[in-house]
Amino acid sequence: MQTPAPTVDGSKPVLEVVNLVKEFSLQRSLLVRRRDRVHAVDGVSFKVEVGETLGLVGESGCGKSTLARAVMRLIEPTSGQIYIDGTDIVPLSKRQLRPYRRQLQIVFQDPFASLNPRLSAAEIVAEPLDVHDIGSAEERMERVVELFQRVGLRASQMKNFPHQFSGGQRQRIGIARALASNPRLIVADEPVSALDVSIQAQVVNLLMDIQQERKLSYLFIAHDLAVVAHISHKIAVMYLGRIVEFAERRALFTQPLHPYTEALLAAVPVPNPALKREREVLGGELPSPINPPSGCHFRDRCPHAFDRCQSESPALREIGSGHLVACHLH
Ligand code: SF4
C-alpha cells in the first residue's frame, strides 16, 4: 500500500536533533576486560531549517557517519530525540517510520559500494519509488527519465550497470535515487570525498542547484572545511562525538573561536599562500573514543590548554548570536 507523506509544517525545522547519544558496547576480550562502552555520538543537538544546508565537519572517526546513520535510524540511537517536521521519530516502529523515510534520504560516500552492481541504473533510481509504492509503472519510468536528465545523465545510459559509469556519474545516480521520493532533507555523508577535485565541484554545484529548485535541506558531512565552505549556510564542527563549535558559515570562517576549528581552517588551501593566516596546524591524532582524555577531549592537541581543561569538560555555550563554542577560553 502506498505510504502517505506526513503533514508538512513549514514553520518548524525540517530536522531537529536533541541530545542524541549513540553508544557501542565493546565485547570482552583479552584486551577489553570490562564491558566498555564507546560514546560515538555524545549528546549532539542541532536544527536544519527549510532550504538550508548544515555542514558537519570533523576528522575521520569523530562520529559524523555514526550520527548520519542514527539520524536516518539506519542504526538505533541510544537516547535523544530526532524531530522530522516536529514529530520525534525515535519511538516510531518500522511501519510508522516509513512515511518519514520518504522525507529523509541519504547519499553515501562511496558511490560504487552504495549501488547494487546487479541492478541497472534505472532500477537503482526507481528503488525508492518501488519501496514507497509511488505512482504507476508508467509514471515511475517517466520520473526516472526526468531524474536522469536532472542530474546530468543521458536517458540512453539508463540500462547500463554501475561499473559502466565513472565515479562522478555513479554519484549522480546516487543523487537521482535520493531525489526519487521527493524528500525534504538529504543526508549527504561525505558525498564528494571519493571523487577527483574537478568532479567534486560539479557535484556540489549540482546539489546546490537542486536545493534552490526544490527548497531541499541538506545535512552535508565532510572531513574537510574547504568542501563544506561553498554549500553550507551553517557549520557544526565535531570532535570525538561532540559538537565543539556551531556558527553561520561567514562567522565560522572569519571569527573561529575553538582551537580545533582554527586548526581545521589552517588546513584549508588558500589561492595565494602569502595570504595564509597565521594559524596553528593540527598535530597529533584523534584520541581513541574508548578512552578519551578527561576534561576537554581536545586538550592533548590544544596549544592553549590550561589546568581547568584537564578536569572540566567545557559545555557548548552561545557566545554571540547563533555562534556556539565549547571551550574554557570563551
Ligand atoms: Fe583547548 Fe582548553 Fe579550550 Fe579545550 S577547553 S579547546 S583544551 S583551551
Side-chain angles (χ1 to χ4, degrees):
M1 195 177 72
Q2 183 169 338
T3 47
T7 316
V8 169
D9 179 350
S11 65
K12 295 202 169 91
V14 179
L15 170 69
E16 181 171 8
V17 170
V18 181
N19 213 7
L20 195 73
V21 173
K22 178 61 192 174
E23 293 176 354
F24 294 102
S25 54
L26 299 172
Q27 296 301 319
R28 282 168 212 254
S29 70
L30 285 176
L31 293 176
V32 181
R33 294 183 185 282
R34 290 178 294 119
R35 191 170 280 273
D36 282 321
R37 300 184 78 77
V38 178
H39 282 80
V41 177
D42 193 3
V44 166
S45 301
F46 60 81
K47 291 177 189 171
V48 186
E49 306 286 349
V50 177
E52 177 183 271
T53 300
L54 173 65
L56 183 68
V57 186
E59 289 162 278
S60 297
C62 76
K64 313 181 294 291
S65 292
T66 304
L67 175 62
R69 281 159 179 73
V71 164
M72 299 288 302
R73 279 199 55 197
L74 297 175
I75 54 174
E76 289 302 324
T78 307
S79 62
Q81 292 89 44
I82 301 164
Y83 294 96
I84 304 290
D85 283 320
T87 301
D88 182 9
I89 63 164
V90 173
L92 301 186
S93 66
K94 279 198 171 140
R95 196 174 61 79
Q96 291 169 323
L97 193 60
R98 281 188 70 186
Y100 293 92
R101 280 251 159 87
R102 194 172 146 178
Q103 301 289 318
L104 201 60
Q105 293 290 324
I106 189 163
V107 174
F108 293 98
Q109 173 179 359
D110 184 344
F112 198 59
S114 67
L115 305 180
N116 186 337
R118 284 187 286 272
L119 295 184
S120 71
E123 287 169 324
I124 290 168
V125 174
E127 264 181 331
L129 302 174
D130 298 337
V131 167
H132 295 290
D133 198 15
I134 299 170
S136 64
E138 199 177 317
E139 286 164 343
R140 286 179 204 179
M141 189 46 66
E142 277 172 22
R143 178 104 177 107
V144 171
V145 171
E146 177 207 319
L147 287 164
F148 252 67
Q149 284 167 351
R150 182 60 201 92
V151 299
L153 295 169
R154 294 191 306 278
S156 60
Q157 295 173 296
M158 284 173 49
K159 289 192 177 151
N160 291 359
F161 289 85
H163 71 271
Q164 294 172 290
F165 292 90
S166 68
Q169 287 174 328
R170 284 197 286 264
Q171 199 54 298
R172 287 172 193 267
I173 297 171
I175 293 168
R177 176 177 59 184
L179 289 171
S181 65
N182 224 358
R184 301 193 60 225
L185 181 122
I186 290 182
V187 176
D189 185 10
E190 303 249 14
V192 296
S193 305
L195 306 178
D196 290 346
V197 175
S198 58
I199 309 293
Q200 286 185 359
Q202 291 173 14
V203 172
V204 167
N205 287 337
L206 173 68
L207 288 169
M208 289 174 73
D209 290 345
I210 292 170
Q211 179 173 52
Q212 292 250 317
E213 289 162 17
R214 298 168 187 239
K215 281 216 141 222
L216 250 179
S217 305
Y218 295 129
L219 175 60
F220 191 100
I221 296 170
H223 59 263
D224 183 347
L225 263 175
V227 172
V228 297
H230 196 47
I231 193 170
S232 304
H233 300 95
K234 294 174 186 157
I235 296 175
V237 178
M238 199 165 168
Y239 191 79
L240 226 54
R242 297 177 181 168
I243 290 179
V244 295
E245 186 160 3
F246 182 99
E248 301 269 349
R249 170 182 53 184
R250 190 177 163 75
L252 194 100
F253 276 85
T254 56
Q255 292 173 302
L257 297 176
H258 198 282
Y260 180 57
T261 311
E262 291 228 319
L264 291 180
L265 276 169
V268 173
V270 290
N272 178 358
L275 298 176
K276 197 163 174 69
R277 291 150 290 195
E278 288 287 317
R279 285 196 174 122
E280 307 279 351
V281 175
L282 189 60
E285 292 191 350
L286 193 71
S288 163
I290 300 173
N291 193 15
S294 61
C296 174
H297 287 352
F298 187 58
R299 69 176 166 83
D300 288 350
R301 303 168 82 187
C302 180
H304 310 291
F306 57 107
D307 290 353
R308 189 178 166 197
C309 308
Q310 277 199 32
S311 55
E312 200 183 318
S313 175
L316 188 66
R317 289 197 190 89
E318 187 159 3
I319 302 295
S321 172
H323 197 152
L324 290 84
V325 65
C327 172
H328 294 315
L329 292 175
H330 303 281

